[in-house]
Amino acid sequence: MGTNRARTGTSSPWTRTVRAPSIIARPRVPLAPQTAPRPDAGVYRAEQFSFASEAGERVPGVFVKSVRATNRQPAVIFLHGTGSRKEEFLALMRTFADPGFATAAIGARHHGARISPEFGPGNAQYFAAMLETYRTGKGRPYLYDTAWHVMRLVDYLQTRADVDAARI
């Protein structure tokens, strides 16, 4: 992936004013965003992106907006459920892009591109992580991960020159 043209930083005004409960919050790391065009963009500006959510953890995502968009757009965030993946929202993201919304979807931990090869496809890694957290008290269950990753996604979207940071 190439380097994003957007501004980068470790926190935004939004996350400086919204405090995450300690069970959700993680030590902040630089976002270090990366982007690359998607080959299926067609009449949309579509790209793959990723950003650092915490040390050693990158969150992959998809960003879609209309090619007609020339100014900052309000953004809509899409989140998939257990056993699903971010790409399942592409058609809906294009539908929202048509009237002028920028759209973003991220891949949840233990899903899609974030599944370790030794687990193979499916939900085995997700269930193993949940069970490990239950048994040991270590780690963070999926919903806490997702809450933190969405907060970091908002940070990332606020760095983009094509997103209206006040309308995410």
Side-chain angles (χ1 to χ4, degrees), residues 109-127:
R109 188 173 280 176
H110 311 301
H111 288 75
R114 297 176 77 184
I115 295 175
S116 297
E118 67 265 19
F119 284 96
N123 294 325
Q125 183 177 355
Y126 169 71
F127 292 131

Side-chain angles (χ1 to χ4, degrees), residues 2-139:
T3 301
N4 188 359
R5 301 169 307 278
R7 301 178 307 273
T8 60
T10 57
S11 67
S12 71
W14 181 80
T15 55
R16 283 194 300 263
T17 59
V18 175
R19 297 229 183 261
S22 61
I23 197 164
I24 295 171
R26 324 284 164 92
R28 289 200 181 274
V29 298
L31 287 169
Q34 298 175 335
T35 64
R38 285 184 57 93
D40 61 348
V43 298
Y44 300 92
R45 287 200 179 105
E47 59 190 46
Q48 300 173 155
F49 66 84
S50 70
F51 57 84
S53 64
E54 57 191 283
E57 188 71 34
R58 293 195 68 79
V59 176
V62 177
F63 182 84
V64 177
K65 69 176 189 172
S66 170
V67 294
R68 296 183 309 275
T70 58
N71 54 0
R72 291 178 174 260
Q73 305 293 298
V76 177
I77 295 172
F78 294 90
L79 300 173
H80 67 78
T82 299
S84 195
R85 51 195 201 105
K86 65 189 178 301
E87 290 80 8
E88 293 178 17
F89 286 111
L90 284 170
L92 188 57
M93 292 170 77
R94 292 178 182 121
T95 299
F96 273 76
D98 287 336
F101 290 95
T103 62
I106 58 173
R109 188 173 280 176
H110 311 301
H111 288 75
R114 297 176 77 184
I115 295 175
S116 297
E118 67 265 19
F119 284 96
N123 294 325
Q125 183 177 355
Y126 169 71
F127 292 131
M130 293 294 283
L131 186 58
E132 179 69 14
T133 297
Y134 174 75
R135 286 181 175 159
T136 68
K138 296 179 182 174

